[in-house]
Amino acid sequence: MRTVDIIEAKRDNRPLPPEALTDFVNGVVAGRVPDYQAAAFLMAVYFRGMHTEELVAYAKAMLYSGATLSMPSLKDRYKVDKHSTGGVGDKVSITLAPLVAACGPVIPMISGRGLGHTGGTLDKIEAIEGMNVELSAEDFERCVSDVGYAIAGQTAELVPADKKLYALRDVTGTVPSIPLIAASIMSKKLAAGLDGLVLDVKTGSGAFMKSFDDAATLAQTMIAIGEGMGCRTRACVTSMEQPLGRAVGHSNEMVEAFAALRGEGPKDYLEVCMALGVEMLQLALGVSADAARASLRAAIDSGRALEHCRRWIEAQGGNPRVIDEPYKYMPRAPHERMLEATVSGYLNAFDCAEVGRACGILGGGRATASDKIDHAVGIEVLAKLGDRIDPGTPLFSIAYRDEDKAKQAEALLRQAIIIKDSPCQAPSLLRAQFSKASEEASSPGKSQ
Ligand code: URA
């Protein structure tokens, strides 16, 4: 089909054959399809969506637009990964990868950097002196094989179609299209040759998907792509109505992630790690949820999970002693100030994205792609939804370098919370779980 026919078919909501979508994606990468036609197609998808067969063909074409990681030494190992759609205080990968690796499967984790108000796993890892997240395919495979997991960025050879199409989406108002987001995420994740994938789709004020319904649709769309491409895929929709755990930043998030590997640290954070770990082990080992939970618990209690983390840090260039003496090997901001409540009541609501932005203002985010992250700064969230608040109750502590930036962050943080007289309950963290077998396996907190 000519590109104009592909655009018109999508515009008129007529189904597209898989070959047409493969040609389109290949044409974009090869430069045969001009940007104006690619942009018109993306806008047509934005309005019309994509059917499952179209999506699978489109994502597959994106995936095979470049190299994939074949990792021959791991061909007999179950390869499972987790992907989060991004949130505030989301350091789950740092805890989850060693925790699951300590139970048997291997985790070739390709991660990203901070986007907007959300933090990025690679940026957090780079808080540790010497850590290298730009691994060659060979080093990545060796690390997964030796340690059980590796966490690294996408190389230029993987999924070039997404690079091109994402840049066009960014300037054509077509980023917030669920099928385009789903194809973009899945093509990159599946480039690691996964057998199984667990998606953590965040919903709430700190997530890109603000509404539960959009999060659920994204979860189901990504499952359709993953399963359509032969990768067992499950999804949890989890709450991002408030920051996850207490730490928001880089060095401080790493400290919290290490604590969780000792079974310490905030309960909400550990709960999300366990829920995702259970899904990953069920996929990889075919065990019951109870058995998976018991394995994860044993990996923490025995110290095996922490030991995997030490080996990983060493393998990717850091000093594993960072786990015991974090601020010897990670930067710490020189100043700290506490924000206290001035009124009484209950913490009823967070504008969670504002907490992420406050961290960005301190220096923990990028305003432009070339900005350098300050790993030392950060925020500790000391009061959570539902907590009783009185004048003087600590709400946040801010670790900072620059007084003006700290003042701006403080103003944002004060606006980011609502304290009311009426008591309220913390929202349930695990809002729903989805898999191919059941449209919606369960929805523990959907109505809240
Ligand atoms: N993350 C991605 O990788 N792609 C999108 O389209 C949105 C978020």
Side-chain angles (χ1 to χ4, degrees), residues 166 169 181 184-185 188:
Y166 194 91
R169 286 167 59 205
I181 293 172
S184 163
I185 291 173
K188 285 179 291 200

Side-chain angles (χ1 to χ4, degrees), residues 83 85 115 162 166 169 175 177 180-182 184-185 188 208:
H83 175 80
T85 55
L115 197 63
D162 184 62
Y166 194 91
R169 286 167 59 205
V175 168
S177 153
L180 295 178
I181 293 172
S184 163
I185 291 173
K188 285 179 291 200
F208 290 111

Side-chain angles (χ1 to χ4, degrees), residues 130-400:
M131 283 299 269
N132 179 16
V133 293
E134 285 165 18
L135 301 183
S136 66
E138 294 72 33
D139 287 345
F140 185 78
E141 179 175 352
R142 191 174 314 116
C143 187
V144 178
S145 171
D146 293 351
V147 179
Y149 75 102
I151 308 179
Q154 197 195 339
T155 62
E157 297 82 52
L158 298 185
V159 201
D162 184 62
K163 212 159 275 162
K164 186 88 206 266
L165 288 163
Y166 194 91
L168 279 173
R169 286 167 59 205
D170 208 18
V171 292
T172 56
T174 51
V175 168
S177 153
I178 287 179
L180 295 178
I181 293 172
S184 163
I185 291 173
M186 293 302 285
S187 59
K188 285 179 291 200
K189 271 288 162 185
L190 298 185
L194 301 176
D195 301 300
L197 175 63
V198 174
L199 301 159
D200 180 9
V201 183
K202 304 281 188 200
T203 183
S205 64
F208 290 111
M209 297 289 138
K210 304 286 179 222
S211 81
F212 174 84
D213 288 348
D214 280 350
T217 305
L218 179 61
Q220 287 164 310
T221 307
M222 291 196 285
I223 288 173
I225 295 175
E227 295 282 348
M229 290 168 68
C231 173
R232 298 283 315 283
T233 309
R234 290 183 176 191
C236 296
V237 175
T238 63
S239 173
M240 194 30 78
E241 293 294 1
Q242 58 183 335
L244 189 58
R246 289 187 182 278
V248 178
H250 293 83
S251 294
N252 62 341
E253 288 201 35
M254 294 300 287
V255 172
E256 192 165 273
F258 298 150
L261 287 168
R262 297 190 192 94
E264 298 160 4
K267 216 171 116 277
D268 63 338
Y269 176 61
L270 208 51
E271 187 183 331
V272 170
C273 292
M274 290 297 274
L276 297 168
V278 164
E279 297 286 336
M280 289 168 84
L281 287 191
Q282 284 195 282
L283 282 179
L285 309 177
V287 294
S288 70
D290 283 347
R293 190 167 286 275
S295 295
L296 295 168
R297 201 64 251 177
I300 292 176
D301 294 344
S302 64
R304 273 186 294 118
L306 201 60
E307 191 46 40
H308 272 72
C309 186
R310 285 184 201 281
R311 285 169 45 210
W312 164 68
I313 291 169
E314 189 152 35
Q316 288 197 208
N319 187 330
R321 289 207 51 76
V322 68
I323 290 177
D324 315 296
E325 298 174 89
Y327 290 112
K328 200 165 162 190
Y329 304 97
M330 291 192 291
R332 181 178 216 162
H335 311 295
E336 208 165 307
R337 72 208 280 163
M338 188 74 81
L339 242 86
E340 293 172 352
T342 52
V343 295
S344 52
Y346 295 88
L347 186 41
N348 265 252
F350 261 95
D351 185 340
C352 182
E354 290 293 76
V355 181
R357 283 188 200 106
C359 180
I361 284 173
L362 292 171
R366 294 184 184 84
T368 66
S370 58
D371 282 356
K372 268 182 91 73
I373 295 261
D374 185 349
H375 298 105
V377 298
I379 294 164
E380 297 291 314
V381 181
L382 303 173
K384 302 284 288 243
L385 289 174
D387 284 0
R388 168 81 208 168
I389 305 290
D390 290 300
T393 302
L395 300 173
F396 300 99
S397 93
I398 305 177
Y400 66 98

